[in-house]
Amino acid sequence: MIVKVYEDAKKLGIFVGFTEVHNVKVEKENNEIEKELQKIEEKYRSENPDSLKDNPVVRAYRDFYWKIGIDPTKTRPSGEALRRRVARNGKLPRINNVVDAGNIVSTETLVPIGLYDMDKIIGNPKIILSKGNEFFYGIGKKEPEKINPNIPIMVDDSGKVMHIYPHRDSTLTNIMLETKNVLIVSAGVPGVEKDLVIRAAKLTAELLVKYANGKWDGVVNIA
C-alpha cells in the first residue's frame, strides 16, 4: 500500500512516514504492553506541561495548526495532548495493544501516529486538500460532520475520509479487535525532522511485532 501526498498538500509542508504490519493480534488487555505504558508514564509524569510549548517539535505542530486554521491551545497536537495527559493525571488511555503502541510512540516522540485497518481501505490512501463536500465520521462522535474546504485530509480511492491531518482518525478505518493488517502513518509538518517521523513509524511497527505478534518487513517509506 502506497500513501501519496498530493501537490496542494505538499505546499503546506506535509510529509509522512508509512509502513505496514501484517497478521497482528489485537487484544483489549495485554500485560506486556501495560508495562511499556507504565514506563512511559513514569518517564513523563513529572514533566511541567507549560514547558512543552518551548519544545521545538511541539512548536512545529502548533505552527502548522495555526496555518490550517486550528487553535492549538484549544485542540492540542496529539503528542502534546498525550504528554499533558500524563503530566496532569499520570495515565495514558488504554484502548487495545495496537492503539496503545501508537500512543506510547507519540508520547515519546511527539509525532502524531495514525493506525488504520488495511482491509477497510480501498486502493491507496492519498493526502489532499478537502473540497468542502466530504463527510467525516470521527472516533467518539455520534454524527458525521461536513469538512470545510482546504483542510488536509487522507482519503482512500473510494473517497472515504480516513483522517483529518494530522490529528483526527475516522471510525471507518480504525483499529478493532478483528483487525489483522495495520497501516502505520506518522505525520510530518514543516520544522520536524524527517528522521524523527521515520523513527516514529519504525518504533510503532517494532512494538506491534513485539506485543501484537505482527509481521513487518523493516521498511519505512516516506512520502
Side-chain angles (χ1 to χ4, degrees):
M1 190 167 281
I2 305 292
V3 179
K4 290 185 177 172
V5 181
Y6 276 42
E7 204 54 45
D8 52 359
K10 270 188 180 164
K11 284 178 183 167
L12 292 173
I14 289 170
F15 66 98
V16 295
F18 65 95
T19 192
E20 301 173 11
V21 180
H22 295 266
N23 299 319
V24 300
K25 185 181 181 188
V26 184
E27 297 173 309
K28 197 112 179 81
E29 293 179 7
N30 179 297
N31 290 334
E32 294 307 308
I33 206 155
E34 176 61 31
K35 291 173 190 170
E36 294 286 346
L37 286 159
Q38 290 175 9
K39 213 184 292 181
I40 207 85
E41 287 165 349
E42 186 62 35
K43 184 173 180 180
Y44 292 110
R45 189 169 282 133
S46 59
E47 183 175 45
N48 177 0
D50 291 335
S51 68
L52 279 166
K53 67 181 183 302
D54 302 318
N55 183 296
V57 178
V58 170
R59 183 83 266 146
Y61 286 107
R62 282 187 171 206
D63 289 347
F64 182 80
Y65 271 37
W66 285 120
K67 187 158 73 171
I68 62 170
I70 299 170
D71 181 345
T73 64
K74 293 177 181 160
T75 303
R76 304 279 184 192
S78 53
E80 179 189 354
L82 288 166
R83 283 266 193 104
R84 283 178 176 274
R85 180 174 173 142
V86 172
R88 193 172 65 246
N89 66 17
K91 299 290 276 183
L92 288 170
R94 269 64 171 170
I95 310 295
N96 58 57
N97 55 334
V98 172
V99 175
D100 293 351
N103 284 339
I104 287 166
V105 173
S106 194
T107 304
E108 174 65 33
T109 63
L110 296 168
V111 174
I113 302 288
L115 298 158
Y116 309 95
D117 186 326
M118 289 176 59
D119 299 303
K120 297 175 183 170
I121 300 169
I122 308 298
N124 290 305
K126 52 186 179 283
I127 297 172
I128 60 173
L129 295 190
S130 60
K131 294 183 174 67
N133 58 1
E134 302 91 346
F135 283 91
F136 178 70
Y137 294 80
I139 293 173
K141 302 290 184 184
K142 287 183 179 172
E143 298 294 329
E145 61 194 81
K146 198 169 184 185
I147 301 171
N148 291 329
N150 297 313
I151 300 294
I153 55 175
M154 184 160 68
V155 300
D156 70 3
D157 284 351
S158 73
K160 180 164 64 222
V161 181
M162 301 164 53
H163 175 73
I164 298 179
Y165 196 90
H167 68 302
R168 294 183 66 195
D169 288 327
S170 168
T171 57
L172 301 179
T173 47
N174 67 328
I175 304 300
M176 306 293 281
L177 290 175
E178 63 270 16
T179 298
K180 297 289 177 225
N181 303 301
V182 178
L183 173 67
I184 300 167
V185 180
S186 51
V189 298
V192 176
E193 295 290 335
K194 281 194 176 179
D195 285 351
L196 180 64
V197 172
I198 291 168
R199 179 171 163 258
K202 178 175 181 284
L203 289 173
T204 307
E206 287 171 349
L207 289 178
L208 296 195
V209 170
K210 196 170 181 181
Y211 300 121
N213 300 314
K215 302 288 180 286
W216 180 49
D217 65 5
V219 177
V220 175
N221 299 289
I222 198 96

